[in-house]
Amino acid sequence: MTTLSPVGVVAGPIVVAALLLVCGRWLPRPVVDGVAILTTAAVGVSGAFLTPGAVTAGGWPAGVGIPLVVDGASRVLVTLVGTLATVALLFSWRYFSDVEAHFQGLVLLFVAGLGGFALSGDLFDMLVFFELMGACGFALAAYKIEEARSLQGGLTFGIVNSLGAYLTLCGIGLLYARTGTLGLAPLGAAHLPADTATVAAFVLVSTGWLVKAAVVPFHFWLADAHAVAPTPVCVLFSGVMAPLGVYGLARVHAVVFGALDVTVALTVLGLVTAVLGAVMCVLQRNVKRLLAYSTIAHIGTFVVAVAVSSPEASAGWLTDVVGHAGVKGALFLLVGVLLARHGSVDEIELGGSCRRSRGIAALMALGGLALAGLPPFGSALGKGLIEQAVPVPVAVVLTLVAVLTGAAVLRVALRLVGIGPLPADRADDVRTTGEGEERETRRLERLPVTMLAGPVLLLGGSLAVGLLTPGVLGAAGTALVDGAGYRDLVLGGVPPTTPPAEVAWSASGLVVGTAAAVVAVLLALGAVYAGRLPTVLRRRVPRQNRAVLGLERLHSGHVGDYVAWVFVGITALGALVLLG
């Protein structure tokens, strides 16, 4: 079988991006798009053929060059990065009415940062790729620079993520002062004791990854960034950037901080993130923000799986990551279609807009069912594997979270085709409604094939993961929690021998997933017909609204508040690790 070096995965997009930024002004738009798409597609295909092992970029000796490590988990993530970027660029080919080559260049640099982070075998280099990812993400979030909201959302993204990076750098400094090395494998070989200094280093290093993953209370920036970022960019933000933060947390803990028991700490953070994300998802009218909070909810599920730290749970959340990326990417692209055709992302304003184009609403409903856990989607398979690996009460919470996020998306799909009455009073002083959203392209009466192909391909990809149950995901999950195997691979060149976790449907997973999808449909119908509920039930709604509006006000949009919550999160994480 043909094998490839991981260096090209990182260097290739950087070189092509530089060429496009220099020559793009003289190249026709189709050439720029075509070159960018071929580059990201090459990254995705390369993921399947990377040679397991460790190499140093440029042939420099170990400790001088950038170490890149290929194992099952990093291969899966590189493939996912390339695939999502390819679909996003394909969608944007006919989506943007006026775009210059620097958009494609930024996407390629972003892809290089994502891939480098997944492959890096050195803690400091992980931070470097984290910063490349963050700088490009900031520029992409604020891409619509003529809009004040875009600048605010991008600035919030940049400040909060940069703060997380600085705190991670402080933790890296503590580790270097203690061990004199920053390679993940050498740090693991140092066998750090479970003392206060190690806890402090873990908390500081993890902060950057938790910010990127948007784990509560580090999450506030994510919905603001999604609300203003171009729709194709949201596919990368939700589909792979946030999950890579969870990957960084899992990788660093398994290899470097294995002596620390973080089960209680991560379980608490994961459950709080899942529940808050689901509640905020249900409350949204702005469909882009709704999908962003849905991502936060599912990130919470991933963190709970990391807390378990077993091959089965790890294989489950990696499977869920791949399946969720396909579903969430498709949903964001469908929102882009709605914005292009109707100039709005407000659920109420879009009511009845798809009576004549029910295909868009049908695809959105399919995505909602997949988020709820409907078999045989890959997201449902991963969720089922996670629920088998955690205690029953935790599994119940995670199922309810999936039901709520799926029901929120199904509610939007029902309104699109005109099912249920629309609220008489559309005013909302607290929530961001999404009315009057600026189109990202000219009005499209007829959708190009490239824009329709993206959602179909991504939903089909998630379905294929669930139907094929690829064993590579089981091997990836096992590799991610096998800290000793990672050290042997890097330091001794010894391939891991641990048998891969099984990725397969169970009877309970099929039953629970189907039941969850049915309940999500019922909740969505109840939501759109809420105005017709009996009076005794409607009287309780204002009291509930006062409580949830207070939760909305916590998400103030003020970056100073978000920075304060980062330090609250650091304190909480440290306390949970020490007490756990």
Side-chain angles (χ1 to χ4, degrees):
M1 182 177 64
T2 304
T3 58
L4 296 174
S5 168
V7 177
V9 170
V10 180
I14 294 176
V15 172
V16 175
L19 292 174
L20 289 181
L21 290 172
V22 172
C23 306
R25 68 183 69 182
W26 298 294
L27 296 175
R29 169 74 186 277
V31 174
V32 174
D33 282 322
V35 170
I37 289 172
L38 288 175
T39 303
T40 55
V43 170
V45 173
S46 297
F49 298 101
L50 291 176
T51 308
V55 300
T56 303
W60 292 92
V64 178
I66 299 174
L68 301 175
V69 180
V70 178
D71 67 354
S74 58
R75 290 173 68 181
V76 167
L77 291 171
V78 167
T79 302
L80 180 62
V81 167
T83 302
L84 283 184
T86 300
V87 175
L89 286 172
L90 181 67
F91 182 87
S92 66
W93 187 312
R94 299 287 299 278
Y95 183 66
F96 290 116
S97 55
D98 183 23
V99 67
E100 299 179 12
H102 62 260
F103 173 77
Q104 290 86 348
L106 283 170
V107 171
L108 289 175
L109 291 173
F110 191 56
V111 166
L114 294 167
F117 185 84
L119 291 165
S120 180
D122 180 272
L123 200 52
F124 184 78
D125 291 322
M126 287 183 76
L127 179 63
V128 171
F129 287 118
F130 178 97
E131 283 292 82
L132 175 60
M133 192 194 318
C136 296
F138 159 72
L140 289 168
Y143 187 77
K144 295 181 283 185
I145 196 170
E146 68 280 359
E147 298 180 22
R149 294 187 312 106
S150 180
L151 285 176
Q152 181 184 7
L155 186 63
T156 300
F157 179 111
I159 290 175
V160 177
N161 279 269
S162 294
L163 175 61
Y166 297 149
L167 293 168
T168 294
L169 183 60
C170 292
I172 291 173
L174 287 177
L175 289 174
Y176 188 72
R178 193 169 194 185
T179 64
T181 184
L182 291 177
L184 294 180
L187 281 170
H191 299 293
L192 296 169
D195 57 12
T196 305
T198 301
V199 171
F202 171 76
V203 170
L204 289 170
V205 169
S206 299
T207 297
W209 314 156
L210 292 170
V211 168
K212 191 66 74 179
V215 173
V216 173
F218 308 96
H219 71 289
F220 291 92
W221 64 272
L222 185 131
D224 291 349
H226 278 71
V228 300
T231 303
V233 174
C234 293
V235 174
L236 295 173
F237 281 4
S238 262
V240 70
M241 184 185 71
L244 270 179
V246 183
Y247 162 81
L249 178 68
R251 175 68 84 193
V252 170
H253 175 257
V255 178
V256 179
F257 297 102
L260 293 180
D261 184 0
V262 297
T263 304
V264 173
L266 295 187
T267 300
V268 171
L269 286 182
L271 288 176
V272 171
T273 300
V275 172
L276 185 140
V279 171
M280 291 296 295
C281 174
V282 171
L283 297 177
Q284 302 307 304
R285 283 177 50 179
N286 183 313
V287 185
K288 289 178 76 173
R289 294 181 72 90
L290 181 152
L291 294 178
Y293 282 114
S294 168
T295 296
I296 292 173
H298 286 267
I299 288 294
T301 299
F302 303 160
V303 173
V304 170
V306 172
V308 176
S309 193
S310 70
E312 293 75 19
S314 183
W317 81 259
L318 281 175
T319 303
D320 201 358
V321 163
V322 176
H324 172 265
V327 173
K328 189 58 61 65
L331 290 172
F332 270 113
L333 295 184
L334 291 171
V335 172
V337 170
L338 293 172
L339 179 59
R341 300 194 71 170
H342 306 289
S344 176
V345 293
D346 180 71
E347 175 187 341
I348 306 303
E349 191 175 24
L350 288 169
S353 61
C354 290
R355 286 192 177 96
R356 296 183 179 179
S357 54
R358 293 177 178 266
I360 301 299
L363 288 173
M364 182 161 285
L366 197 59
L369 291 170
L371 289 182
L374 180 68
F377 282 95
S379 52
L381 172 61
K383 184 178 75 71
L385 293 171
I386 294 170
E387 290 171 353
Q388 292 177 50
V390 300
V392 173
V394 175
V396 171
V397 173
L398 297 182
T399 299
L400 292 176
V401 164
V403 168
L404 289 176
T405 57
V409 175
L410 288 168
R411 184 190 71 203
V412 175
L414 293 173
R415 290 205 193 279
L416 288 176
V417 294
I419 295 178
L422 296 175
D425 181 13
R426 301 189 182 187
D428 198 322
D429 296 329
V430 177
R431 299 182 181 92
T432 302
T433 64
E435 293 180 320
E437 188 84 5
E438 291 290 334
R439 284 189 174 88
E440 296 168 337
T441 185
R442 63 185 183 279
R443 182 181 178 89
L444 297 175
E445 297 296 340
R446 190 181 184 89
L447 294 177
V449 174
T450 52
M451 289 177 61
L452 287 173
V456 174
L457 287 173
L458 290 177
L459 283 173
S462 180
L463 192 61
V465 170
L467 290 172
L468 299 177
T469 60
V472 66
L473 293 172
T478 300
L480 191 53
V481 297
D482 186 8
Y486 183 92
R487 293 191 292 271
D488 291 342
L489 178 66
V490 175
L491 300 178
V494 180
T497 57
T498 306
E502 183 180 7
V503 175
W505 290 99
S506 65
S508 62
L510 291 170
V511 172
V512 171
T514 303
V518 171
V519 174
V521 172
L522 295 176
L523 287 178
L525 287 169
V528 297
Y529 285 107
R532 298 181 181 177
L533 289 173
T535 304
V536 67
L537 294 178
R538 281 188 281 122
R539 283 176 181 170
R540 297 182 177 272
V541 174
R543 182 180 302 172
Q544 294 172 350
N545 277 347
R546 283 194 294 271
V548 297
L549 289 180
L551 185 61
E552 287 271 8
R553 291 188 177 97
L554 285 179
H555 299 74
S556 62
H558 299 298
V559 68
D561 294 346
Y562 297 174
V563 167
W565 278 108
V566 170
F567 289 99
V568 171
I570 293 173
T571 305
L573 176 60
L576 287 169
V577 173
L578 288 171
L579 296 174

